[in-house]
Amino acid sequence: MNTANTHNRLMRACYSFMLPVARLLLRSGVGFKEFAELSRIAFVEVASRDYGLRGRPTNLSRVAAMTGITRKQVKRLRNVQARYEDDIRIEFGLLNDILERWYTDRKFLDREGRPKPLPMHGRRLSFANLVKACAGDLPAGAVRVELLRFGSAEEDAKGRLQPIRRGIVPHELEDKLITAMVFGLRGLASTVAFNTSVTRLGAATRIERFCLSDSIGEKSIGAMHGVVRERVQLFADQMTDLLAKPERTTGGRRIGVGVFYYEDD
């Protein structure tokens, strides 16, 4: 295997991946200095976590040798890393979990299998009970505000809350950007990293497919938009139903399936 050629191809692939990332960050006012600092933190975290011995973090010298970052900087970056430890998926993940339960739990469905409108409070069936079932002691009022803000639910004349979307579809630029990075870019990158890991030791790969067609005319592309959107929405609804079936357990991991439409610039 030509190691130099593989390295060059990897660098070119990273460059092509970084172009849209740089476009997103610059559009949101994030400059290179901030991004470079985050990159260093990420390299130190992965080197520390993935290459330690006997369950312990990798020592400073090995992290410095692997990343090219000085030992002094590695020590500093490990301390800075604490700012980014919170899992940002929680913000959108809990809201999606609540909507998923609302659309799939028989207790919250009517005879036609549609989610029932729920009063905020009540002994048996209420929005507060739904939130408690999914998010423990999270205030139901705060969840209500977020679902209304994202346009995923609405209130009827009786003050009951009714879902109108099966998931969170952010409408503001900042929320769309964060959601896309957390659930889209991060998810795809994680799958690619897992499938190309030499430490999987025979473990099955995770499904990863791309469907592409070249040299499509503008008129045909316009016609395809609606067709693709309709089929992807149907697929997404089917996957949501499928992923709602397994039993939930404390300490379990989140799984998901992502799909998106793509055009070359």
Side-chain angles (χ1 to χ4, degrees), residues 41-108:
I41 293 170
F43 269 80
V44 168
E45 179 178 354
V46 172
S48 299
R49 181 185 299 176
D50 291 7
Y51 297 91
L53 299 175
R54 293 179 291 278
R56 291 179 295 182
T58 315
N59 64 46
L60 293 179
S61 297
R62 285 190 63 212
V63 172
M66 292 171 64
T67 63
I69 301 172
T70 66
R71 293 175 75 255
K72 183 178 180 180
Q73 285 293 305
V74 168
K75 186 175 181 179
R76 179 186 71 82
L77 292 169
R78 278 182 169 176
N79 293 328
V80 175
Q81 176 196 333
R83 301 180 199 168
Y84 303 97
E85 284 183 350
D86 289 339
D87 191 342
I88 197 170
R89 289 175 297 168
I90 291 174
E91 178 181 353
F92 297 106
L94 281 178
L95 296 179
N96 276 309
D97 289 345
I98 290 167
L99 287 169
E100 178 187 313
R101 176 73 68 91
W102 208 343
Y103 272 91
T104 57
D105 191 327
R106 292 181 180 178
K107 183 168 56 177
F108 298 103

Side-chain angles (χ1 to χ4, degrees), residues 246-253:
E247 292 282 339
R248 301 305 197 267
T249 180
T250 302
R253 287 184 291 169

Side-chain angles (χ1 to χ4, degrees), residues 151-188:
S152 296
E154 61 183 8
E155 282 186 326
D156 63 16
K158 297 181 180 180
R160 298 176 302 181
L161 209 60
Q162 175 75 52
I164 55 178
R165 288 199 185 114
R166 294 192 64 152
I168 298 300
V169 183
H171 52 273
E172 296 181 6
L173 174 61
E174 294 83 359
D175 290 329
K176 285 184 177 180
L177 177 59
I178 291 170
T179 306
M181 285 188 166
V182 172
F183 289 102
L185 296 180
R186 181 185 185 280
L188 178 58

